[in-house]
Amino acid sequence: MIQLDKVNKWYGEYHALVDVTETIDKGEVVVICGPSGSGKSTLIRTLNRLEPIQSGSIVIDGQDIYGGDVKLNEFRSHIGFVFQQFNLFPHLNVLENCSLAPTRLRGLKPAEARERSMALLERVGLAQKAQAYPSELSGGQQQRVAIARALAMEPPLMLFDEPTSALDPEMVGEVLLVMRDLASDGMTMICVTHEMGFAREVADRVLFMDAGKVLERAAPGDFFNRPQTARAQKFLTDIRTPFSSTLS
Amino acid sequence: MLELIQDYWLYFLVGQYPNGPLGGLVLTLLLAALGLLFSLPLGLVFGMARISPYRWLRWPVTALVFLVRGTPLLMVIFWAYFFLPAITGQKTDQITTMLVALVVFDGVYLAEIVRAGILGLPKGQQECARSLGLSYVETMRFIILPQALRNMLPSLVNQFISTIKETSLGYIIGLTEVSFIASQINVQVLTKSTQVYFILGLTYFILCFGLSRFAFWLEKALYRNRIVKAAS
């Protein structure tokens, strides 16, 4: 479904993505992990062109997305993107957040969009909050609405950019449950996340990135039990036992 | 002073109307309101052009903004007064001249208010709208501007206050707004300059102070609204 070929990106002098080559199949759930600044978020943002790349190519469903003939808005409407900061629209209520794009871009009648949104809100367990405004919701609830909003466009591919990193610890679980539910439905998902429990249980494959390169690609069991590179070994040690490293 | 008010209040309020052109305080308020009303769309367009990704759009508007902001309103009024008839070929009346000057001047200031209103929103709002597939124009119309305009309301009221005071410069081209009328009254009465200009000053003060309190209240109300929503 997605082919990345020798993708390179620079921020000025800084080489953010280095020759990233990767193939992701339909229905796969891929977790990208790695230390901060390793290029995980940059990589996932290039997949719907929120960040331009300088060389290489990304092909999604047979379409070179940096090719000249891409209809950008149409292309983006087929990819769901969930942000770390939720980014719900604060001036619209939950239902309007979900039904705005389907009404505008898919030509749904208000009643149809409403019905579709309500079904999705039901699925993420927030149907009773349809009339609430984002500021009335907890972080976990906001992120679940954001997922429902992305799903309302019925995208075949969902991208998650650290969806639980801005949440209080007690709210992480409710968001991960929704994501697991989505994965078991066969959705193609790419998630940048630090939730190793989620990666272990839900992911088909883990990509480990450092300094703009994909250092390891493996099934979660292999990655967590037998990391190949020293960098990945250190990373896993650090997140498991936070006090093991010495301060220098 | 009461005698003064008794004799001239109507003249002060509306000028020679209905036996002559509308003037006085009503003209002042009308001009300020129309000025703001017409400059709002201009400010919206200019403000969005100022942050446009297109250089050919951004640069000329930015240049115009700096040019007008670096010029006193009096200059703009002179330009409108002498320049407009030169390009249209016919004499423009004072009200139109003043209105054109106010719209250009306010449009540029509103552009900066609009720009700040848009840039003040979290970047994620725009990114998120675009990631859903909404176009730039749709994003502006449904997501960015509704939020930005709401946040701009207090600034808009403040701009209205400035505009009310700015209309007094119409005096220079013989516009019969309230300052001009006051000076006419002063000439007719001759002996009560202090009182006449005291009343004029008081009128401006009451209007502007009242409005600035309103802007303050509006700001509080918008802020409170956010807090209440967040707490409930």
Side-chain angles (χ1 to χ4, degrees):
Chain A
M1 186 179 198
I2 306 174
Q3 288 95 31
L4 294 101
D5 187 38
K6 287 205 162 42
V7 172
N8 280 282
K9 173 169 182 68
W10 284 267
Y11 290 110
E13 292 289 294
Y14 182 69
H15 203 166
L17 294 177
V18 186
D19 281 335
V20 176
T21 300
E22 200 59 57
T23 301
I24 290 158
D25 293 327
K26 196 166 176 49
E28 230 188 336
V29 177
V30 175
V31 162
I32 306 176
C33 64
S36 67
S38 60
K40 318 177 293 283
S41 285
T42 307
L43 180 64
I44 202 167
R45 286 165 64 89
T46 61
L47 294 179
N48 76 344
R49 283 185 53 176
L50 278 178
E51 300 283 349
I53 60 174
Q54 273 80 45
S55 75
S57 73
I58 300 176
V59 176
I60 298 181
D61 275 336
Q63 187 183 32
D64 179 356
I65 66 167
Y66 286 90
D69 56 347
V70 177
K71 292 194 186 114
L72 185 58
N73 299 323
E74 162 75 12
F75 156 73
R76 278 178 175 155
S77 77
H78 294 287
I79 296 179
F81 200 105
V82 177
F83 294 84
Q84 182 178 353
Q85 300 296 342
F86 334 130
N87 291 336
L88 292 185
F89 306 132
H91 60 302
L92 303 177
N93 69 25
V94 164
L95 188 63
E96 290 163 342
N97 262 279
C98 295
S99 49
L100 175 74
T103 327
R104 290 285 146 201
L105 304 175
R106 296 281 191 263
L108 258 61
K109 295 199 177 66
E112 295 168 329
R114 191 191 142 82
E115 201 176 318
R116 182 189 288 188
S117 303
M118 283 310 293
L120 288 164
L121 289 171
E122 191 80 53
R123 185 172 175 184
V124 300
L126 287 170
Q128 78 283 5
K129 294 284 187 188
Q131 302 301 326
Y133 281 84
S135 52
E136 301 168 54
L137 303 179
S138 72
Q141 291 173 327
Q142 290 194 47
Q143 192 62 299
R144 285 189 280 153
V145 172
I147 294 173
R149 174 179 63 181
L151 290 174
M153 294 299 281
E154 304 190 323
L157 168 65
M158 288 284 287
L159 307 175
F160 296 84
D161 186 7
E162 303 204 25
T164 57
S165 300
L167 294 176
D168 289 339
E170 57 182 336
M171 293 167 185
V172 170
E174 61 190 73
V175 172
L176 292 181
L177 271 176
V178 169
M179 290 169 65
R180 189 180 69 181
D181 172 52
L182 207 55
S184 64
D185 259 20
M187 174 68 78
T188 312
M189 291 165 60
I190 304 176
C191 319
V192 173
T193 182
H194 296 119
E195 296 299 328
M196 292 304 137
F198 175 81
R200 201 184 268 275
E201 190 190 342
V202 179
D204 297 307
R205 212 146 53 95
V206 175
L207 304 184
F208 176 76
M209 289 187 72
D210 185 46
K213 299 190 192 90
V214 178
L215 290 189
E216 301 206 16
R217 42 181 74 72
D222 292 336
F223 175 71
F224 289 112
N225 299 328
R226 291 177 293 280
Q228 303 295 309
T229 58
R231 188 68 190 86
Q233 284 158 12
K234 179 172 188 314
F235 176 75
L236 287 172
T237 310
D238 285 348
I239 60 173
R240 278 173 192 152
T241 46
F243 296 117
S244 67
S245 7
T246 49
L247 296 176
S248 51
Chain B
M1 198 154 94
L2 278 176
E3 198 183 330
L4 195 67
I5 295 174
Q6 251 165 11
D7 287 349
Y8 288 103
W9 67 272
L10 190 62
Y11 186 51
F12 188 77
L13 275 185
V14 295
Q16 289 174 327
Y17 192 81
N19 304 315
L22 181 69
L25 191 59
V26 172
L27 180 65
T28 293
L29 289 175
L30 193 69
L31 263 175
L34 287 178
L36 195 69
L37 195 69
F38 290 139
S39 59
L40 198 56
L42 193 72
L44 220 51
V45 172
F46 280 2
M48 281 164 62
R50 283 269 280 144
I51 48 174
S52 160
Y54 303 112
R55 210 178 295 175
W56 57 267
L57 198 61
R58 196 172 63 233
W59 283 9
V61 173
T62 305
L64 179 74
V65 167
F66 280 121
L67 184 74
V68 175
R69 287 214 306 168
T71 316
L73 177 60
L74 194 60
M75 287 300 291
V76 181
I77 295 172
F78 280 147
W79 268 86
Y81 190 68
F82 294 111
F83 191 62
L84 269 183
I87 48 169
T88 58
Q90 47 193 333
K91 199 172 177 318
T92 321
D93 65 85
Q94 282 111 333
I95 295 185
T96 316
T97 305
M98 190 61 193
L99 198 55
V100 168
L102 281 178
V103 166
V104 171
F105 201 72
D106 276 359
V108 158
Y109 279 86
L110 286 182
E112 293 299 273
I113 295 176
V114 169
R115 188 173 78 108
I118 293 174
L119 293 181
L121 295 176
K123 198 165 154 251
Q125 289 288 310
Q126 190 148 348
E127 273 188 349
C128 182
R130 298 304 304 273
S131 81
L132 282 167
L134 295 171
S135 69
Y136 179 80
V137 174
E138 287 166 328
T139 300
M140 279 294 161
R141 179 165 160 219
F142 298 112
I143 307 301
I144 303 300
L145 288 181
Q147 296 184 59
L149 287 175
R150 202 182 120 96
N151 295 344
M152 279 161 47
L153 277 177
S155 304
L156 286 180
V157 176
N158 282 324
Q159 190 61 31
F160 185 58
I161 295 170
S162 299
T163 312
I164 288 176
K165 290 185 283 186
E166 282 159 0
T167 52
S168 63
L169 286 172
Y171 179 93
I172 214 80
I173 56 169
L175 184 77
T176 57
E177 45 69 55
V178 72
S179 300
F180 186 88
I181 295 289
S183 71
Q184 294 291 99
I185 295 171
N186 182 41
V187 171
Q188 283 175 35
V189 184
L190 269 176
T191 52
K192 292 184 177 163
S193 297
T194 316
Q195 288 93 326
V196 167
Y197 287 111
F198 176 75
I199 291 172
L200 179 65
L202 192 67
T203 309
Y204 276 119
F205 177 78
I206 290 171
L207 263 177
C208 296
F209 181 72
L211 279 166
S212 81
R213 293 308 298 174
F214 174 63
F216 185 69
W217 174 84
L218 207 57
E219 208 167 316
K220 285 259 191 193
L222 285 172
Y223 181 71
R224 199 169 44 234
N225 202 358
R226 238 171 284 160
I227 299 291
V228 167
K229 270 191 189 167
S232 62

